């Protein structure tokens, strides 16, 4: 039996599609009449405190999200393997966001928008893409896809990961000891890291001060599409104010929804989107999770299992 426990998404829609795909395998939702001990899989997003109560026969927790930081913090998370969402459609959507914001900042959008507002004709030529360095933090599923889609646009690419990664046309940096060298050659910093104790607060004033300063008019740029816990918002406000950063694109926030009182709303060089960089799409998600259940029921090992020790 599969139990859905999805908050803040259209659970009924997912349930209908999963039932159609998995039939006759039983799919239930909270509020249905079922024996919790008969549940073998729970499909979860932002689970409530009681989400796992009574699920004594679980074989796996299936995470609607690619990021599992919220799940791992659940106080009563059972000891079953966690399978996270890995999906070409999700990667494409995230890369769409990354490419849009990288190209916008590369072409000095903030500068020309301000000029237009002031009716100012001031010619300034952006650097070529090849003269502009995009540094991707996190070279996993999403980071690699973003790099692959930025490459044909001609950007100089570098990446930073925990362990060394090699991708043609991308200069790889790995580990805490290589972080400063990675930042020193980066004009546009893209964050696609998972949120773990090591990466919490990594987008801070000190980090911003280490980025390359002489390439993009206005200063270096950050793009955070991973988690709000990665960023120190007071530091972003300060850095955008004093020119340490030229602009910031933020899809995620320390508190979501971003409170109305946040000063970020009023900063013209801050580009806010409400955690919409990439959605887990039911069409491909239902196929992915149904296949996982079918395969596992047929005795095959689970795929894309989270390493709880590493936290991602
Ligand atoms: P992956 O697990 O595939 O990749 C994570 C990458 O981060 C790996 O390259 C890993 O290194 C690296 N990493 C982890 N810890 C460190 C560290 N301490 N120092 C340096 N590098 C580190 O994750 P995904 O690419 O699938 O997803 C990334 C994140 O994107 C998710 O965790 C989620 O938070 C966020 N996300 C946001 C969405 C949105 O709509 N805003 C949508 C989907 C995801 P290594 O390769 O060596 O293991
Ligand atoms: C995810 C997300 O982690 O949507 O998939 O944030």
């Amino acid at each position: 039996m599969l139990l859905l426990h999805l908050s803040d998404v259209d659970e009924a829609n997912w349930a209908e599609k999963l039932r159609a795909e998995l039939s006759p395998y039983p799919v239930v939702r909270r509020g249905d009449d079922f024996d919790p001990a008969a549940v073998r899989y729970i499909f979860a997003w932002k689970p409530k405190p009681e989400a796992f109560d009574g699920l004594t026969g679980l074989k796996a927790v299936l995470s609607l999200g690619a990021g599992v930081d919220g799940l791992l913090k659940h106080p009563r998370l059972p000891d079953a393997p966690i399978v996270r969402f890995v999906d070409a459609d999700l990667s494409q959507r995230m890369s769409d966001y990354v490419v849009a914001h990288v190209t916008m900042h590369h072409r000095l959008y903030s500068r020309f928008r301000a000029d237009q507002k002031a009716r100012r004709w001031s010619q300034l030529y952006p650097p070529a893409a090849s003269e502009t360095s995009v540094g991707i933090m996190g070279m996993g599923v999403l980071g690699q896809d973003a790099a692959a889609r930025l490459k044909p646009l001609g950007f100089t690419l570098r990446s930073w990961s925990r362990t060394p990664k090699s991708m043609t046309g991308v200069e790889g940096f790995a580990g805490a000891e290589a972080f400063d060298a990675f930042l020193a050659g980066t004009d546009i910093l893209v964050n696609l890291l998972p949120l773990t104790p090591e990466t919490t607060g990594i987008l801070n004033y000190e980090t911003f001060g280490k980025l390359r300063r002489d390439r993009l008019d206005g200063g270096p740029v950050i793009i955070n599409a991973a988690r709000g816990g990665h960023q120190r918002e007071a530091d972003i406000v300060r850095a955008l104010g004093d020119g340490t950063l030229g602009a910031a694109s933020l899809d995620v926030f320390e508190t979501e929804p971003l409170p109305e009182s946040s000063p970020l709303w009023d900063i013209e060089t801050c580009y806010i989107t409400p955690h919409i960089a990439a959605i887990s799409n039911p069409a491909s998600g239902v196929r992915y999770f149904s296949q996982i259940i079918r395969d596992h029921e047929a005795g095959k090992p689970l795929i894309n299992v989270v390493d709880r020790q590493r936290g991602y």
Side-chain angles (χ1 to χ4, degrees), residues 45 65-69 84-86 90-91 94 97 137-144 160-165 173-176 179 191-199 202 224-227 230 251-252 256 275-280 310-312:
W45 181 242
V68 291
D69 47 291
R84 73 187 191 97
F85 194 32
V86 173
L90 185 79
S91 301
M94 178 58 84
Y97 171 89
M137 299 162 75
M139 202 51 175
V141 174
L142 300 181
Q144 288 184 36
W160 184 66
S161 46
R162 199 176 49 81
T163 56
K165 291 276 165 306
F173 296 79
F179 191 47
N191 179 35
L192 290 171
L193 287 167
L195 186 64
T196 68
E198 289 76 40
T199 64
I202 197 164
N224 185 13
R227 284 290 182 265
H230 288 126
D251 184 58
V252 286
E256 294 181 7
H275 200 145
I276 50 78
I279 190 174
S280 299
R310 284 186 330 193
Y312 66 97

Side-chain angles (χ1 to χ4, degrees), residues 38 48 53 58 60 98 101 129 229 263 273 275 287 297 300:
K48 305 245 178 336
D53 292 357
L58 265 191
V98 171
H101 285 261
T273 47
H275 200 145
R287 273 199 305 277
E297 289 300 293
K300 291 190 191 162

Side-chain angles (χ1 to χ4, degrees), residues 8-60:
D8 291 354
V9 296
D10 188 352
E11 187 185 85
N13 180 37
W14 279 91
E16 190 189 319
K17 291 187 162 62
L18 280 162
R19 280 193 189 111
E21 180 78 20
L22 279 168
S23 173
Y25 194 82
V27 176
V28 294
R29 297 175 62 196
R30 287 166 288 176
D32 291 347
D33 186 20
F34 64 92
D35 174 10
V39 172
R40 298 289 171 263
Y41 304 91
I42 179 168
F43 181 36
W45 181 242
K46 300 186 182 171
K48 305 245 178 336
E50 69 283 4
F52 305 106
D53 292 357
L55 308 187
T56 50
L58 265 191
K59 291 184 179 176

Side-chain angles (χ1 to χ4, degrees), residues 29 48 55 58 63 74 109 127 153 159 178 182 218 225 229 241 270 278 294:
R29 297 175 62 196
K48 305 245 178 336
L55 308 187
L58 265 191
S63 167
H74 194 284
Y109 179 78
L153 302 181
S159 71
F182 162 74
C270 187
R294 276 195 293 263

